[in-house]
Amino acid sequence: PRELAIGMLLCNGLSICGKPLPKVLDIGAKSGETFVKVGLILLGIDIQTLGKLGAQALVVAIPVTALSITQGYYWARKIMPMQQRKMAMCLVGGTSVCGNSAATAIQTTIGANAEDLTVAISILSIWTIIQMLVVAPIAQTFLPQTVIAAAIGGSINSTGPVVAAASFLREPIFGNTRFVLAR
């Protein structure tokens, strides 16, 4: 939690002051999530465990992701109603799959404009920060230990924030990584 607060203060503090990140932090800011993903994989998920869990994770991940995309898009277009169809798709895809990376990939695929992507990423980032701070304590309070990893890994849409959220737990768990990798 301390590192998360320092990172948020440093990044947001400099951007509010109109100053760019120092060059020494530039590599981490651009490719930090890749390093987190590789590090999580190297933590010790052996191939046999991944093979056993992979099929189970796909059985959960595929229908949940499909349902999340279809329902999210329906809500965005019919219930809300968002007039910007392409922005809604970027937002829903980012929420359902893997955050800003998915929103960016969707934006280029469907030809959404830069403003649509900027708004979608802003909303995703704010929501991810809220989830990082709230999901783990709520899951640990109300859910059995056996499903906390699934709740955190399945509800937060990006690997780095899942790890950050897990750092708020009273007892460490490592299963959440499997759910993020399956998504």
Side-chain angles (χ1 to χ4, degrees), residues 71-82:
Q71 288 299 304
Y73 190 72
Y74 174 79
W75 273 75
R77 295 287 293 150
K78 302 293 183 192
I79 308 287
M80 302 286 285
M82 287 181 79

Side-chain angles (χ1 to χ4, degrees), residues 125-175:
S125 297
I126 291 167
W127 181 242
T128 300
I129 290 169
I130 293 167
Q131 285 182 303
M132 273 192 312
L133 301 172
V134 173
V135 170
I138 290 174
Q140 199 158 31
T141 302
F142 296 106
L143 298 175
Q145 184 71 19
T146 54
V147 296
I148 291 173
I152 295 171
S155 62
I156 300 175
N157 60 21
S158 198
T159 310
V162 169
V163 174
S167 72
F168 288 104
L169 295 173
R170 292 184 297 270
E171 298 174 24
I173 56 172
F174 299 102

Side-chain angles (χ1 to χ4, degrees), residues 15 51 100 178:
S15 66
N100 299 343
R178 297 177 191 137

Side-chain angles (χ1 to χ4, degrees), residues 58-83:
L58 287 176
V59 168
V60 172
I62 291 171
V64 167
T65 302
L67 184 64
S68 145
I69 289 172
T70 55
Q71 288 299 304
Y73 190 72
Y74 174 79
W75 273 75
R77 295 287 293 150
K78 302 293 183 192
I79 308 287
M80 302 286 285
M82 287 181 79
Q83 299 303 317

Side-chain angles (χ1 to χ4, degrees), residues 33 36-38 40 98 156-165 177 180-181:
E33 187 165 341
V36 169
K37 288 178 182 177
V38 170
L40 289 171
C98 62
I156 300 175
N157 60 21
S158 198
T159 310
V162 169
V163 174
T177 307
V180 171
L181 294 174

